[in-house]
Amino acid sequence: MLAFALACTLGTMTSDTAHNAVPFDRVTISDRFWAPRRETNRKVSLPHSLDMLEKAGNMENFRLAAHGKRSGYHGPVFMDSDLYKAIESIGASLGTNPDPALEKRIDDVIALIASAQMEDGYLNTWYQVNEPDKRLTNLAWNHELYCAGHLFEAAVAHFRATGKRTLLNVAEKFADYLCQVFGDGPGQRAGYCGHPEIELALVKLWRVTGNPEFFRLAKFFIDHRGERFFAKEQKIPDKEYNGEYYQDHIPLRELDRVMGHAVRAAYLMSGAADVARETNDKGLLDMLDRVWDNTTLRNQYVTGGIGPSASNEGFTVDYDLPNQSAYQETCASVAMAMWAHRMALLTGESRYADVMETALYNGVLAGYSLDGKKYFYVNPLASSGSHHRSEWFGCACCPPNVARTLSELGGYAYATTSDSLSINLFIQGSVDCKVGSQDVQLDVKTNYPWDGLVEIHFGLKKPTEFRLRLRVPAWSPGRSVTVNGASDTLTFSQGYVSTKRLWKNGDVVKFNIDVSPRFIAANPKVKSNIGRLALGAGPLIYCLEQADNSAPVHELSVPASADWKPIKIKGLPGVTGYETMGETTSSAWPGGLYSTAPKVKPVRVVAVPYCFWDNREAGQMAVWIPSAPSPPSTAGLEKSAKVAMSFVNSNCQPEGLSTPGDPASSSEQPASLAHWWNHKGGTEWAEYSWEEAIDVTRCEVYWFDDTGRGECRLPVDWHIEVFVDGAWKWIGSTYVVRPDTWCEAKFDKVRTTRLRVVVTMQDGWSAGIHKWRVYGPGS
């Protein structure tokens, strides 16, 4: 591990009790939970990400810019940021696990980046290739400052790990340019980025270089946020402008709730926390408290993620937390962990570290596969079996975001003040840090999260007095602490149990947390979870996955009094699952006005950690479990079907087709929507498939139309096709297309395991479907 090679001015709060994160390169991780995932990240995901970035054109964009080309750019406007995040991931990994081959690869990439930088310091390949005379003219949408922020973060991580200034020089030069452009001084201009990120990155860059202009610019962006700048930039009349999407509707210090795009919101709050930490700005601190409470008490998933809606990749209204149509972008879980970490450092309170831990162990870790090659962009809390990870995305923000989080995980675990050391994450390994001016080294032994016993062994060159603070998770019903085998005088404050004493080499603290399974209930205002419970054990949230259960997951229920017992899980070595007895009953109404009540049968129910789901055979999944058998649904046979579509982009959720509920209108923008945008004209299809053959006699389709704000329109025509004898066959019926109503097609009974709705779109327009229902005889 390399220490800083520059003299640094590290920001601290005016209070002597400021908590400072122990850097990731001063922490080793050697447990059985995180260490294997981090090793997969280093050996598989990081080289794979460079390969995919080359394939996607990210690196070629820098070659084009370096050679002054004016055409040939690949991908969306923010392509640079994905490469920067990959460099940050690799740089951080090198700080704990030197890898000459990987280091050589990013040395070459950094040289390429440097060659593309303009003489005045500006660097953005989209503008340099496409519109070099229009730089910084579309801050609302074109991500220049966002990309710059990720460059700054990558440069800091790379420098910290290797001591090399190659990328740091590029970052400083670009930041110097931006400091000249933006500000309240003569010749400077207003503005900030539509996608916050640069604010927190500038603070990082300031802490490394000591250049006060970098902090000045971060504060400038925070101070002016919410001045409705984008209305002026985009020439939108102020009365028609709604800046909530990018948190630009009211001054930042007046915010009282979370809103808009989830990742943007959490990155902005992270930057605001960084600035508030240095300035002790009461307006910012009060705002952070208000928005934090609104987020975590009304708008956060039990898995730690945020953002229920696909339409804005963000928030809707309080308590809107659907399960199957949950968006919960992986990047949003990363951003939530970042914000929570900063709040924990800002206040020293465990409630923030609790949220950080939940996001890391669940929302973030679910974002990538055990083999390190596939990723979730969207993370639902229920699935019919058709939602799977992808190797890469056209908008590939999530893969390198997960990778950098894993590489820098150690930086979340510990914090120090002038006279204390806090343990925020219980991970086997070691930490080597300073408490005040004293060197402290601890070895931690634990099998957390599977076991709650944490042993802390002190390695000290001389006796050292300080306070050891151990986080007591809010979910733990009990804990115990011993020092050298005996009880000690303990203090409980801010959610930490602590003891201050003169520590000696060889001292041992044993901290035992109760990680037994527990049922979690949601606020009754979360309508999607009424009558349902979620299973937690330690920091992990569990789910039911079809691979472990004989009955269909959506037909299972478990009483609140259930006794869960730990078991090993087939196909997931080293993972602790839980089993209990539950009940199953048919969820579909058999037909007719009256029917014999469905029978309830006892059945074994198995739960696995949510972060490991979709790593085996495909199947249904659910986090929230009914506590009693559900009444038969009036929905159709689609409820048990797997969903596929002819084309899916990162903002399309095929599972929206089969989720319960009736649309209010065709123009309604739901949290989950199946559409074929940006394919226009021509023919597309959506498909349901069942494990066993079903009888079908009619279908209903509710069309989506976003006239006035998007490019989806009612189709020209549609029809149903059935898969019979190895081929798709058209089913004869009357097919009507109408807005704001269910469009029904009746036909003679067909028996099949696969059904398609085939759509002919208008020329120049795309199409989408709110819901598609399938019914059998008598329904």
Side-chain angles (χ1 to χ4, degrees):
M1 295 181 287
L2 295 172
F4 282 122
L6 287 181
C8 304
T9 303
L10 291 180
T12 57
M13 288 184 68
T14 56
S15 169
D16 291 335
T17 59
H19 292 264
N20 298 291
V22 175
F24 62 82
D25 60 344
R26 309 303 295 175
V27 178
T28 62
I29 293 175
S30 58
D31 69 338
R32 292 192 291 174
F33 186 88
W34 287 107
R37 303 300 296 271
R38 281 164 46 86
E39 189 68 359
T40 298
N41 187 51
R42 181 177 73 86
K43 290 184 174 180
V44 179
S45 303
L46 298 183
H48 177 70
S49 67
L50 290 180
D51 294 341
M52 295 305 297
L53 289 163
E54 181 69 77
K55 182 178 178 180
N58 299 66
M59 296 185 196
E60 180 61 19
N61 289 340
F62 281 92
R63 297 187 188 102
L64 294 171
H67 290 94
K69 302 296 183 182
R70 294 294 176 264
S71 63
Y73 181 90
H74 301 267
V77 296
F78 40 77
M79 290 286 277
D80 294 2
S81 67
D82 297 332
L83 181 57
Y84 295 148
K85 278 182 281 187
I87 294 173
E88 180 184 353
S89 309
I90 294 169
S93 179
L94 293 175
T96 55
N97 298 91
D99 186 325
L102 206 51
E103 186 170 1
K104 174 63 167 61
R105 287 190 71 176
I106 64 164
D107 283 347
D108 292 343
V109 173
I110 290 170
L112 172 61
I113 291 170
S115 71
Q117 188 168 33
M118 301 182 74
E119 297 230 354
D120 62 1
Y122 181 83
L123 179 58
N124 183 281
T125 64
W126 192 92
Y127 274 99
Q128 288 173 239
V129 174
N130 294 319
E131 295 183 323
D133 59 336
K134 293 185 179 180
R135 60 165 91 163
L136 302 176
T137 59
N138 190 354
L139 297 180
W141 293 107
N142 278 7
H143 290 72
E144 285 161 283
L145 301 181
Y146 168 83
C147 291
H150 278 300
L151 167 62
F152 302 162
E153 287 202 87
V156 169
H158 177 254
F159 172 70
R160 170 154 207 109
T162 67
K164 296 178 181 178
R165 289 193 54 100
T166 46
L167 192 60
L168 190 65
N169 289 338
V170 175
E172 285 191 89
K173 189 176 180 181
F174 193 4
D176 285 339
Y177 166 80
L178 294 174
C179 287
Q180 294 172 23
V181 172
F182 291 98
D184 295 317
Q188 294 180 308
R189 56 161 291 188
Y192 34 81
C193 191
H195 196 311
E197 205 283 339
I198 192 172
E199 299 84 357
L200 68 91
L202 281 164
V203 175
K204 281 188 177 183
L205 192 62
W206 163 61
R207 287 174 176 159
V208 168
T209 64
N211 187 334
E213 276 295 288
F214 300 158
F215 182 78
R216 192 273 310 167
L217 184 57
K219 185 175 182 299
F220 171 83
F221 289 143
I222 292 295
D223 287 344
H224 289 274
R225 192 82 192 187
E227 292 180 348
R228 304 173 71 84
F229 170 79
F230 301 133
K232 305 176 188 113
E233 181 192 69
Q234 303 292 311
K235 296 179 173 58
I236 302 172
D238 193 69
K239 291 182 179 179
E240 300 176 14
Y241 177 69
N242 182 343
E244 290 189 1
Y245 175 76
Y246 18 58
Q247 301 81 40
D248 186 44
H249 59 301
I250 59 174
L252 181 59
R253 288 168 177 80
E254 296 178 15
L255 277 180
D256 60 1
R257 62 185 179 89
V258 71
M259 61 190 66
H261 188 275
V263 181
R264 296 172 195 235
Y267 279 173
L268 179 60
M269 294 302 109
S270 297
D274 282 341
V275 170
R277 174 187 173 87
E278 308 304 331
T279 62
N280 228 4
D281 184 319
K282 187 176 186 303
L284 283 180
L285 293 170
D286 289 346
M287 179 277 296
L288 287 165
D289 281 343
R290 293 192 303 270
V291 177
W292 175 270
D293 286 348
N294 177 259
T295 303
T296 58
L297 300 179
R298 300 185 177 196
N299 290 283
Q300 186 175 34
Y301 281 101
V302 70
T303 47
I306 51 177
S309 172
S311 64
N312 65 346
E313 296 188 314
F315 301 98
T316 53
V317 296
D318 290 349
Y319 303 108
D320 179 25
L321 295 167
N323 293 315
Q324 190 160 336
S325 64
Y327 199 70
Q328 196 189 197
E329 183 183 338
T330 299
C331 283
S333 294
V334 171
M336 194 66 206
M338 292 169 61
W339 180 20
H341 186 217
R342 284 162 169 80
M343 295 298 288
L345 296 175
L346 192 63
T347 65
E349 294 182 26
S350 69
R351 63 188 178 115
Y352 301 108
D354 284 353
V355 170
M356 175 185 77
E357 181 185 56
T358 298
L360 289 171
Y361 274 87
N362 300 282
V364 173
L365 195 54
Y368 95 124
S369 61
L370 284 171
D371 66 8
K373 292 183 178 180
K374 292 184 178 180
Y375 304 86
F376 278 143
Y377 194 107
V378 173
N379 293 269
L381 277 72
S383 172
S384 64
S386 60
H387 187 77
H388 306 294
R389 295 178 182 87
S390 299
E391 185 179 36
W392 209 248
F393 305 96
C395 172
C397 51
C398 295
N401 226 355
V402 173
R404 70 172 180 151
T405 304
L406 287 168
S407 293
E408 296 169 346
L409 181 67
Y412 290 88
Y414 302 92
T416 62
T417 67
S418 60
D419 67 348
S420 73
L421 171 60
S422 300
I423 301 182
N424 293 322
L425 296 178
F426 306 110
I427 303 175
Q428 180 163 292
S430 64
V431 58
D432 187 356
C433 63
K434 284 187 178 294
V435 177
S437 61
Q438 301 299 313
D439 292 324
V440 173
Q441 198 267 333
L442 302 180
D443 289 319
V444 178
K445 296 181 180 180
T446 182
N447 193 29
Y448 191 87
W450 312 122
D451 187 286
L453 178 60
V454 182
E455 293 187 10
I456 302 150
H457 297 253
F458 286 71
L460 303 172
K461 295 178 181 178
K462 62 179 182 179
T464 304
E465 184 179 39
F466 63 91
R467 181 174 296 279
L468 179 67
R469 302 173 78 238
L470 304 171
R471 180 176 63 89
V472 180
W475 44 257
S476 178
R479 80 273 182 179
S480 64
V481 182
T482 62
V483 179
N484 298 326
S487 60
D488 194 20
T489 302
L490 301 173
T491 301
F492 183 77
S493 176
Q494 296 184 303
Y496 289 79
V497 63
S498 68
T499 179
K500 185 173 184 178
R501 59 187 288 159
L502 186 68
W503 299 100
K504 299 183 176 99
N505 188 51
D507 281 347
V508 178
V509 173
K510 291 186 178 180
F511 182 42
N512 212 336
I513 312 166
D514 188 347
V515 296
S516 57
R518 66 195 184 278
F519 259 142
I520 302 165
N523 188 307
K525 294 180 181 179
V526 182
K527 294 180 180 179
S528 58
N529 294 331
I530 292 175
R532 295 174 179 266
L533 298 169
L535 179 67
L540 296 171
I541 300 300
Y542 279 68
C543 68
L544 307 186
E545 198 172 6
Q546 197 62 67
D548 309 295
N549 292 281
S550 58
V553 164
H554 73 273
E555 295 181 357
L556 292 172
S557 63
V558 177
S561 60
D563 181 23
W564 293 91
K565 296 180 180 179
I567 59 169
K568 295 180 180 179
I569 298 296
K570 183 180 179 181
L572 296 175
V575 172
T576 297
Y578 287 94
E579 69 173 357
T580 192
M581 291 303 296
E583 297 174 324
T584 180
T585 183
S586 174
S587 63
W589 183 247
L593 181 59
Y594 301 104
S595 176
T596 301
K599 293 183 178 180
V600 176
K601 300 177 182 178
V603 65
R604 175 176 177 262
V605 178
V606 174
V608 299
Y610 175 78
C611 61
F612 292 108
W613 89 276
D614 195 46
N615 278 289
R616 298 170 293 168
E617 61 265 34
Q620 296 176 19
M621 181 276 294
V623 169
W624 290 93
I625 311 164
S627 56
S630 301
S633 171
T634 56
L637 301 168
E638 73 281 352
K639 188 174 181 180
S640 60
K642 295 179 182 178
V643 189
M645 295 181 68
S646 53
F647 170 74
V648 175
N649 72 8
S650 61
N651 200 31
C652 168
Q653 289 184 283
E655 292 186 350
L657 288 171
S658 59
T659 55
D662 291 310
S665 66
S666 290
S667 63
E668 179 186 21
Q669 188 76 47
S672 176
L673 180 67
H675 59 80
W676 292 278
W677 187 86
N678 53 1
H679 284 196
K680 300 174 184 178
T683 300
E684 301 286 351
W685 53 261
E687 178 181 332
Y688 285 152
S689 61
W690 294 265
E691 292 184 1
E692 298 181 359
I694 59 167
D695 292 330
V696 183
T697 57
R698 67 185 179 96
C699 291
E700 291 179 340
V701 172
Y702 203 111
W703 299 106
F704 174 70
D705 187 309
D706 60 359
T707 297
R709 65 179 189 275
E711 297 183 326
C712 286
R713 300 292 183 272
L714 298 179
V716 174
D717 198 5
W718 68 288
H719 65 270
I720 297 295
E721 292 185 359
V722 60
F723 193 74
V724 179
D725 298 328
W728 289 100
K729 296 182 180 179
W730 181 308
I731 298 180
S733 183
T734 300
Y735 296 98
V736 297
V737 178
R738 295 194 186 100
D740 306 323
T741 189
W742 289 97
C743 297
E744 183 183 58
K746 295 181 179 180
F747 39 82
D748 293 335
K749 182 177 75 174
V750 295
R751 187 167 182 80
T752 186
T753 59
R754 298 171 69 186
L755 208 65
R756 280 183 179 177
V757 55
V758 182
V759 177
T760 303
M761 300 186 292
Q762 297 184 42
D763 290 342
W765 299 101
S766 189
I769 300 176
H770 277 289
K771 308 290 179 186
W772 171 26
R773 289 180 176 172
V774 178
Y775 297 97
S779 59

